[in-house]
């Protein structure tokens, strides 16, 4: 039963961000087919943050009308909405509309808004729901949340999305000078996108299937407390029978004194429980924790995703694929590490956040140098950018998991406000990056004709 609940919690966690993470890993293919091109990531970050009306509504209801919002019904509603949105993306993602004389992928962007509302709202509903289960399942949930980026990444890698090659497109200019014919030729490099192994439509249908698994897992998780309660009652009944038999036997035998081993064990267990429950934080520490949540999520959900194409694509499509896939693998790996090596020290978490920020700064610097980043035509450049993205995601994912575990031990409201802080950080990051990327054009794209001098 315990293993089954762990499995259900993991599958339930994958549905939290699997749809949006799926869009991010599919970007190498989407940017080549949608009219927004390299600006698409910045559009996505803004649309995702506009969808914060969902978690804002849930948070306000929790604050001003506590107990009025049925959490289970909300989760059922948003998961079903996620399934429908993924299916609609599969059918309409390429539909475009002319707006202000510019072609836009309106169907894709509108459906993405509703899909984003699903994933954003999961931050303030999925975690609080896990409060109904034992604390040991929260880490398993975070592992599933990490897999929500890893599984679409594996599918995108198998799809071969966005793989490109440079082809010589030769043109010949003939000019006649006097009575002699002078033929001069020049070569121009052309970027060709290789066809994927399977279509984007199939990819979106696979995302819908993952959301279906999430719905099924949640259905059974809502039954788990009842099952556990029945099992607990049976265990208590068995213990009562055993204790009754032992009491009868002891009463029939000679009178014995209290069992010192039993008293010691009960004392130690009680002390351990008391220590766990009495662990609390000061106001300044809680402020630091929530600021850390805002900062980490502004980096991972808003700032760096907006420039990933500029940071990775100049090193080639393979480097981009490895960055997207391996960094998504770093997320569940960090959750596994948090399960076996939990460290609640706020100082350590602050240091790890600083380390992750340093790797993020390197990624941002390479994006700012696009289309000619450091070590562009060197294997070391490819290795460094991949390692930097992996460590950036891994270290900050560990910080997020440990903060979730810390707040899980506080109370229900702590997790709700944690979800709100997650969305606030994501919103701030997106609002900062959108004008930088899409309005002021600070970052420059690269193609096969880009000439760099070092």
């Amino acid at each position: 039963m315990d293993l089954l609940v762990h499995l259900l919690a993991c599958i339930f966690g994958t549905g939290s961000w699997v749809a949006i993470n799926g869009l991010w890993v599919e970007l190498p293919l989407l940017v080549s087919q949608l009219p927004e091109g390299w600006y698409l990531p910045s559009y996505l970050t803004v649309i995702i943050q506009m969808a914060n009306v969902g978690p804002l509504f849930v948070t306000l209801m929790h604050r001003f009308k506590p107990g009025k919002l049925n959490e289970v019904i909300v989760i059922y509603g948003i998961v079903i909405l996620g399934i429908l949105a993924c299916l609609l993306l599969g059918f309409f993602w390429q539909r475009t509309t002319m707006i202000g004389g510019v072609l836009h992928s309106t169907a894709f962007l509108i459906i993405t808004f509703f899909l984003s509302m699903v994933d954003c709202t999961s931050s303030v509903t999925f975690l609080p729901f896990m409060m109904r289960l034992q604390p040991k399942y929260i880490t398993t949930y975070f592992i599933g949340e990490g897999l929500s980026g890893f599984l679409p990444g594996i599918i995108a890698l198998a799809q071969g999305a966005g793989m490109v090659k440079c082809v010589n497109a030769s043109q010949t200019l003939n000019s006649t000078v006097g009575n002699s014919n002078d033929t001069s030729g020049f070569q121009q490099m052309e970027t060709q996108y290789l066809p994927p192994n399977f279509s984007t439509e199939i990819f979106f249908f696979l995302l819908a299937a993952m959301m279906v698994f999430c719905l099924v897992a949640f259905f059974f998780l809502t039954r788990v407390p009842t099952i556990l309660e029945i099992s607990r009652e049976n265990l208590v009944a068995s213990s009562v029978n055993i204790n009754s038999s032992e009491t009868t036997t002891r009463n029939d035998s000679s009178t014995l004194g209290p069992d010192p081993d039993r008293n010691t064990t009960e004392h130690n267990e009680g002390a351990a429980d008391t220590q766990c429950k009495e662990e609390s934080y000061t106001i300044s520490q809680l402020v630091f924790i929530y600021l850390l949540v805002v900062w980490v999520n502004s980096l991972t959900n808003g700032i760096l995703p907006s420039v990933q194409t500029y940071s990775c694509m100049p090193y080639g499509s393979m480097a981009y694929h490895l960055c997207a896939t391996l960094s998504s693998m770093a997320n569940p790996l960090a959750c596994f590490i948090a399960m076996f090596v939990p460290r609640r020290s706020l100082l350590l978490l602050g240091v790890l956040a600083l380390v992750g920020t340093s790797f993020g700064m390197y990624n941002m610097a390479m994006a700012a140098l696009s289309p000619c980043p450091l070590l562009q035509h060197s294997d070391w450049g490819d290795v460094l950018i991949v390692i930097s993205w992996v460590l950036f995601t891994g270290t900050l994912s560990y910080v997020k998991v440990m903060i979730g575990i810390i707040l899980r031990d506080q109370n229900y409201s702590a997790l709700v406000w944690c979800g709100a802080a997650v969305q606030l950080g994501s919103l701030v990051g997106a609002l900062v990056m959108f004008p930088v990327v899409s309005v002021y054009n600070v970052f420059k794209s690269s193609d096969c004709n880009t000439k760099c001098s070092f």
Side-chain angles (χ1 to χ4, degrees):
M1 186 62 195
D2 186 62
L3 180 60
L4 175 61
V5 177
H6 276 294
L7 179 62
L8 291 175
C10 184
I11 297 175
F12 177 57
T14 59
S16 58
W17 285 93
V18 68
I20 295 302
N21 286 332
L23 293 182
W24 284 117
V25 298
E26 190 73 355
L27 273 181
L29 182 59
L30 295 177
V31 297
S32 66
Q33 300 191 41
L34 294 181
E36 287 77 12
W38 280 44
Y39 293 121
L40 187 60
S42 61
Y43 278 92
L44 283 182
T45 54
V46 172
I47 289 174
I48 291 171
Q49 303 318 315
M50 289 173 58
N52 277 314
V53 294
L56 178 63
F57 171 76
V58 173
T59 304
L60 292 177
M61 286 292 294
H62 173 75
R63 174 64 180 84
F64 297 105
K65 298 287 184 179
K68 296 294 184 180
L69 198 64
N70 191 319
E71 190 176 71
V72 173
I73 293 179
V74 172
I75 295 177
Y76 272 123
I78 63 175
V79 174
I80 292 174
L81 177 61
I83 295 172
L84 295 177
C86 289
L87 291 176
L88 289 175
L89 273 179
F91 291 110
F92 302 108
W93 71 279
Q94 282 188 306
R95 300 290 180 88
T96 57
T97 305
M98 191 71 69
I99 300 177
V102 180
L103 198 63
H104 286 285
S105 50
T106 49
F108 175 81
L109 297 177
I110 292 173
I111 298 174
T112 297
F113 170 79
F114 289 100
L115 201 59
S116 304
M117 188 182 298
V118 173
D119 289 3
C120 291
T121 310
S122 72
S123 297
V124 293
T125 53
F126 283 24
L127 266 179
F129 171 79
M130 294 301 297
M131 285 284 293
R132 303 186 179 195
L133 306 179
Q134 298 178 21
K136 60 183 178 182
Y137 299 120
I138 192 71
T139 306
T140 310
Y141 167 83
F142 277 116
I143 292 175
E145 191 175 272
L147 291 175
S148 69
F150 172 69
L151 295 178
I154 292 297
I155 296 175
L157 190 64
Q159 183 187 23
M163 298 297 291
V164 300
K165 66 177 181 178
C166 295
V167 178
N168 289 332
S170 299
Q171 298 182 5
T172 303
L173 295 179
N174 294 325
S175 60
T176 303
V177 180
N179 294 327
S180 63
N181 292 331
D182 179 32
T183 302
S184 61
F186 68 92
Q187 289 186 337
Q188 184 177 7
M189 302 300 294
E190 184 180 79
T191 302
Q192 289 187 357
Y193 287 88
L194 301 179
N197 297 323
F198 54 87
S199 67
T200 302
E201 289 81 1
I202 294 178
F203 180 86
F204 289 137
F205 293 149
L206 289 176
L207 291 184
M210 293 182 195
M211 293 297 295
V212 171
F213 281 113
C214 172
L215 180 64
V216 173
F218 176 69
F219 173 80
F220 286 106
L221 278 178
T222 56
R223 271 80 182 152
V224 164
T226 303
I227 297 173
L228 292 178
E229 189 63 31
I230 294 174
S231 301
R232 192 178 297 112
E233 290 176 356
N234 293 336
L235 179 62
V236 170
S238 302
S239 300
V240 169
N241 292 334
I242 294 173
N243 290 336
S244 299
S245 300
E246 291 179 350
T247 302
T248 303
T249 303
R250 289 179 180 178
N251 289 338
D252 292 341
S253 61
S254 58
T255 303
L256 298 177
D259 188 349
D261 293 335
R262 180 182 177 185
N263 290 338
T264 303
T265 303
E266 291 178 351
H267 173 75
N268 291 337
E269 291 177 352
D273 293 339
T274 302
Q275 182 180 2
C276 179
K277 293 180 180 179
E278 289 181 353
E279 184 179 3
S280 60
Y281 296 90
T282 64
I283 297 298
S284 59
Q285 288 175 324
L286 288 175
V287 169
F288 172 76
I289 289 174
Y290 283 112
L291 287 177
L292 201 60
V293 172
V294 172
W295 173 250
V296 168
N297 284 277
S298 68
L299 292 178
T300 57
N301 299 341
I303 296 177
L304 270 301
S306 301
V307 298
Q308 189 175 37
T309 50
Y310 299 95
S311 175
C312 302
M313 280 299 285
Y315 292 98
S317 57
M318 180 55 70
Y320 190 5
H321 268 284
L322 291 177
C323 286
T325 305
L326 295 182
S327 62
S328 65
M329 293 175 62
N331 196 318
L333 179 60
C335 297
F336 274 111
I337 295 174
M339 175 182 288
F340 297 105
V341 191
R343 294 292 182 267
R344 295 170 178 254
S345 169
L346 297 184
L347 176 61
L348 176 62
L349 295 180
V351 171
L352 288 178
L354 184 61
V355 171
T357 301
S358 300
F359 288 115
M361 291 174 62
Y362 177 81
N363 300 335
M364 179 65 71
M366 296 306 101
L369 292 175
S370 177
C372 301
L374 297 178
L375 302 173
Q376 182 180 22
H377 300 294
S378 170
D379 292 338
W380 284 108
D382 299 355
V383 171
L384 284 176
I385 195 64
V386 172
I387 291 178
S388 181
W389 272 97
V390 169
L391 293 180
F392 163 75
T393 305
T395 52
L396 297 188
S397 295
Y398 181 88
V399 173
K400 289 193 286 187
V401 172
M402 289 310 306
I403 289 178
I405 293 174
I406 289 173
L407 296 178
R408 166 63 178 82
D409 293 338
Q410 300 303 303
N411 50 50
Y412 178 90
S413 297
L415 278 182
V416 173
W417 288 108
C418 177
V422 168
Q423 298 310 122
L424 175 62
S426 304
L427 175 62
V428 170
L431 293 181
V432 168
M433 292 307 298
F434 182 78
V436 174
V437 174
S438 301
V439 178
Y440 298 106
N441 298 320
V442 173
F443 301 94
K444 306 298 181 182
S445 60
S446 67
D447 55 29
C448 293
N449 291 308
T450 302
K451 302 298 182 181
C452 299
S453 57
F454 298 97

